[in-house]
Amino acid sequence: MTDTASPAAHAPDGDELAALDRRHLLHPWTPMAGADPLVLVSGEGCEITDSYGRTYLDGRSGQFNATLGYRHPKILAALGEQAGKLMTYALLGASNEAAVRLAARLAQLLGEPLSHTLFCNSGSEAAEAAIRIVRMHHALRGEPGRSTVISLADGYHGTTLATAAMSASPLAWTGCGPRPEGFVQIAGPHGSGSGAADLERAVLAAGPESVAAFFVEPVLGVGGIRPLPPGYLREVREICDRYGILLVVDEVTTGLGRTGAWFAHQREGIRPDLVTLAKGLTAGYVPLAAVTTTTAVAEVFAGDPMLGGLRHGHTTSGHALGAAVALAVLRTIEEDGLVEHADAMGRLLLGGLTDRLKDLDGVRDVRGEGLLAGIEFDTFERAAQVAGGCLARGVVVRSEGPVLAVAPPLIVTADQVDRIVDALHASAAA
Ligand code: PMP
């Protein structure tokens, strides 16, 4: 790490913030004991500065969301312009320009027949909305019995009651029952070795007429940065078609450039029925998430006898600040060629990690897609220790269980990729 200011000048702030953090913040998904948290106060490009004035390279884009880095001038300008014009206008019975334009742009990028977007505020909300949309869609089409949602046991789609019910992790449920009904998990293609056949087996066991949807991430994120094997998405698409089941692809982490494609599912040439987006949608500048459906799914809601529309949504669905930022993010990704850049930098990252870490003691696997890489260690402790070593060397990465995730902003340079690989190698070899 590099000192950008004298530690003495910052020490009071740093200590005060650490103490206030411990006393008042309830952190999501974070053990409460242990080292003081890293409290960030500013950022520029791929670098972030903490409350003691120490600057680090952000090797994980915050929580995989800061895809354009910090203080990006185009995004700041878009945010300021929208705030100065109309901070927002709610979409319940009305509309706002930024939300309209963003929905149209997403339809263009996702391609037909994906056409209609409902905006939410977090990835969890987008998945929750998708669950309600698929169930209501089937009910409106005369199949109210189609309510079961199938997902991968080590998938992750969120932290609300229903989205947590899609994961088999005891972390989601211990002491937090009763668990909502209607959720079935299957082994992922990595675990069982039988690939998509597990989905068909689960559909037949549940009764195809009771299954509403299958949810899947193209790269399991929380489940260990594991890309689905090639062909898996195509096979599950076929199974879903065979049994009248909707396919929901969760692109919250993988979408919008992260894997070196606009959307990871597009590499497989499949069309999901619904796609969820969050994180990179606004590059982390403001909260915004989306669930985009096909025209066929969306149109069914016009026939809802109670409302004649979708009975779901939020006051802040399609908040104009988020939508204006997202439009600027999409424009920047396109103008600056960041999908291609992420692909090139991703190859450099994965190549470097594979060459220099794969054969080290304690390293089980190096894998990933685009700028989303994972290093699996033999123990949780070893992964955490290596993340700590990187922090001491001025690079922020984080371990979850035995897997350490590396996902710098899409604007990362080749030199910065080298710095990340060097820090990981030095920490893992120590
Ligand atoms: N889906 C995936 C694939 C995710 O990785 C996450 C967040 N880690 C979510 C959904 C939930 O998003 P959020 O944290 O914004 O609720």
Side-chain angles (χ1 to χ4, degrees), residues 376-387:
E376 185 174 333
F377 291 89
D378 51 4
T379 62
F380 285 36
E381 294 72 27
R382 185 75 187 126
Q385 205 178 26
V386 173

Side-chain angles (χ1 to χ4, degrees), residues 63 122-125 156-159 217 221-222 250 252-253 278-279:
Q63 184 61 19
S122 66
S124 301
E125 280 182 7
Y156 182 84
H157 301 283
T159 204
E217 302 153 82
V222 174
D250 181 336
V252 164
T253 299
K279 299 191 191 281

Side-chain angles (χ1 to χ4, degrees), residues 53 73 87 152 166 173 270 310 317 345 353 371 392 404-405 414 422:
M87 87 294 194
L152 299 186
M166 284 198 276
W173 284 107
I270 61 132
L310 175 65
S317 287
M345 292 301 106
L353 293 176
L371 277 174
L404 199 148
D422 284 348

Side-chain angles (χ1 to χ4, degrees), residues 96-415:
N96 74 66
E97 181 184 2
V100 174
R101 293 200 186 282
L102 178 59
R105 182 69 183 123
L106 286 175
Q108 228 176 26
L109 287 170
L110 283 160
E112 283 180 10
L114 290 157
S115 62
H116 282 63
T117 294
L118 171 79
F119 291 109
C120 308
N121 304 293
S122 66
S124 301
E125 280 182 7
E128 181 90 11
I131 295 168
R132 284 169 53 81
I133 287 173
V134 297
R135 287 181 172 172
M136 289 192 274
H137 157 270
H138 289 302
L140 286 168
R141 290 178 70 248
E143 290 190 279
R146 276 197 189 265
S147 60
T148 298
V149 170
I150 304 180
S151 56
L152 299 186
D154 46 4
Y156 182 84
H157 301 283
T159 204
T160 62
L161 282 173
T163 56
M166 284 198 276
S167 151
S169 169
L171 286 173
W173 284 107
T174 306
C176 193
R179 197 170 168 156
E181 290 174 6
F183 295 91
V184 168
Q185 283 92 45
I186 60 171
H190 316 91
S192 72
S194 54
D198 281 326
L199 175 61
E200 186 155 30
R201 225 168 285 133
V203 169
L204 294 173
E209 68 294 339
S210 72
V211 181
F214 176 56
F215 277 63
V216 68
E217 302 153 82
V219 178
L220 273 68
V222 174
I225 316 290
R226 280 180 291 164
L228 295 176
Y232 182 81
L233 275 179
R234 281 198 299 276
E235 284 178 60
V236 298
R237 174 73 274 182
E238 274 171 33
I239 294 168
C240 288
D241 286 344
R242 200 173 309 146
Y243 297 104
I245 295 163
L246 296 175
L247 175 61
V248 185
V249 176
D250 181 336
E251 293 258 16
V252 164
T253 299
T254 52
L256 302 163
R258 170 58 66 196
T259 68
W262 271 103
F263 301 99
H265 73 264
Q266 290 176 337
R267 284 192 201 280
E268 288 281 301
I270 61 132
R271 291 279 191 234
D273 296 294
L274 293 93
V275 174
T276 59
L277 300 170
K279 299 191 191 281
L281 182 57
T282 52
Y285 281 77
V286 285
L288 184 78
V291 49
T292 302
T293 80
T294 59
T295 312
V297 169
E299 279 177 354
V300 165
F301 290 93
D304 179 85
M306 298 175 81
L307 183 74
L310 175 65
R311 286 179 275 115
H312 187 85
H314 311 276
T315 303
T316 47
S317 287
H319 195 282
L321 291 185
V325 163
L327 280 165
V329 167
L330 300 179
R331 208 178 308 124
T332 303
I333 291 175
E334 192 180 21
E335 285 172 1
D336 297 354
L338 292 178
V339 174
E340 299 74 20
H341 182 71
D343 188 45
M345 292 301 106
R347 286 172 202 276
L348 206 62
L349 177 67
L350 208 55
L353 293 176
T354 306
D355 287 351
R356 299 189 53 206
L357 272 89
K358 197 149 188 164
D359 296 329
L360 291 181
D361 257 5
V363 175
R364 283 221 173 131
D365 193 20
V366 175
R367 57 190 175 237
E369 197 168 325
L371 277 174
L372 184 57
I375 306 161
E376 185 174 333
F377 291 89
D378 51 4
T379 62
F380 285 36
E381 294 72 27
R382 185 75 187 126
Q385 205 178 26
V386 173
C390 286
L391 194 65
R393 290 173 173 85
V395 173
V396 176
V397 286
R398 204 178 103 191
S399 61
E400 249 175 88
V403 178
L404 199 148
V406 190
L410 310 187
I411 58 168
V412 73
T413 63
D415 282 352

Side-chain angles (χ1 to χ4, degrees), residues 1-2 35-40 48-50 54-60 383-399 404 419-420 422-424 426-428:
M1 81 204 81
T2 43
D36 279 343
L38 189 64
V39 180
L40 284 319
I48 42 180
T49 300
D50 76 4
R54 296 177 295 219
T55 295
Y56 306 83
L57 184 53
D58 184 1
R60 68 189 322 265
Q385 205 178 26
V386 173
C390 286
L391 194 65
R393 290 173 173 85
V395 173
V396 176
V397 286
R398 204 178 103 191
S399 61
L404 199 148
R419 263 176 70 194
I420 294 170
D422 284 348
L424 281 159
S427 307

